[in-house]
């Protein structure tokens, strides 16, 4: 048996940043789910043989992890807000938790000091079996995501 003590799982990670770019410029990089601006992603593409409404995507990371995610929601209904939701379907190698749902929300900043800005939130809701290490890893990957996004629009 394992002597590792499992810490209580907060189960939810949310990070946010203000990116110095207009909402549409950022949305055009996030909506296709290619994540070309992310330094830790080698390739991401839509699975052509998928029949789900919004599609499934295979994401290959630079550490040789390959994950399949299913887009669960996409909202473009407001002029100043956009969002995309997706859930993990499969991972190779396997992850230590049962499930995770991600949501990326973009909101145009309406009062800025200078050029256009967008408030970006990236949240992940993990199943209760996710350990503290998985939660912390998610937090750091979101920070990298924001850094890569800001570099891409600079």
């Amino acid at each position: 048996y394992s002597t590792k003590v499992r810490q209580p799982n907060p189960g939810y990670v949310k990070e946010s940043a203000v990116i110095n770019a207009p909402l549409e410029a950022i949305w055009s990089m996030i909506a296709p789910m290619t994540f070309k601006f992310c330094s830790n992603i080698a390739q991401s593409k839509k699975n052509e043989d998928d029949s789900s409404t919004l599609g499934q995507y295979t994401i290959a990371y630079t550490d040789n992890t390959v994950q399949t995610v299913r887009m669960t929601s996409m909202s473009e209904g407001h002029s100043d807000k956009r969002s995309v939701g997706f859930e993990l379907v499969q991972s190779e190698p396997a992850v230590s938790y049962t499930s995770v749902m991600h949501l990326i929300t973009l909101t145009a900043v309406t009062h800025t000091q200078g050029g256009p800005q967008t408030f970006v939130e990236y949240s992940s809701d993990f199943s209760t079996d996710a350990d503290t290490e998985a939660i912390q890893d998610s937090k750091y990957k979101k920070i990298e995501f924001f850094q890569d996004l800001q570099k891409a629009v600079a």
Side-chain angles (χ1 to χ4, degrees):
Y1 86 48
S2 173
T3 58
K4 182 178 176 184
V5 176
R6 288 182 62 94
Q7 296 295 317
N9 167 20
Y12 186 74
V13 178
K14 180 166 75 172
E15 293 295 322
S16 60
V18 173
I19 305 296
N20 296 315
L23 180 131
E24 288 304 326
I26 296 173
W27 184 240
S28 70
M29 291 190 289
I30 291 175
M33 297 282 290
T34 56
F35 301 111
K36 290 181 180 178
F37 62 91
C38 291
S39 60
N40 67 333
I41 294 178
Q43 181 181 355
S44 178
K45 61 182 173 56
K46 187 172 185 177
N47 299 347
E48 297 302 324
D49 59 342
D50 177 59
S51 61
S52 62
T53 307
L54 297 173
Q56 288 193 13
Y57 297 79
T58 299
I59 303 171
Y61 294 87
T62 54
D63 69 356
N64 295 321
T65 299
V66 177
Q67 295 185 332
T68 302
V69 298
R70 177 184 304 116
M71 188 184 295
T72 56
S73 65
M74 180 178 273
S75 174
E76 298 177 304
H78 299 282
S79 62
D80 64 346
K81 196 168 196 137
R82 307 276 183 275
S83 69
V84 61
F86 52 101
E87 65 182 341
L88 181 65
V89 175
Q90 183 178 345
S91 181
E92 197 57 51
V95 292
S96 62
Y97 43 87
T98 308
S99 66
V100 61
M101 298 280 296
H102 302 285
L103 180 65
I104 300 172
T105 304
L106 313 180
T107 307
V109 176
T110 59
H111 182 75
T112 66
Q113 303 295 319
Q117 294 180 316
T118 303
F119 180 68
V120 183
E121 286 183 303
Y122 189 167
S123 62
S124 299
D125 194 1
F126 287 84
S127 54
T128 57
D129 59 349
D131 61 17
T132 306
E133 187 178 329
I135 304 292
Q136 285 301 310
D137 185 57
S138 177
K139 176 184 173 89
Y140 294 124
K141 285 188 173 136
K142 286 171 179 48
I143 292 168
E144 286 178 20
F145 174 90
F146 292 133
Q147 291 168 341
D148 290 344
L149 186 56
Q150 185 61 68
K151 282 182 202 163
V153 297

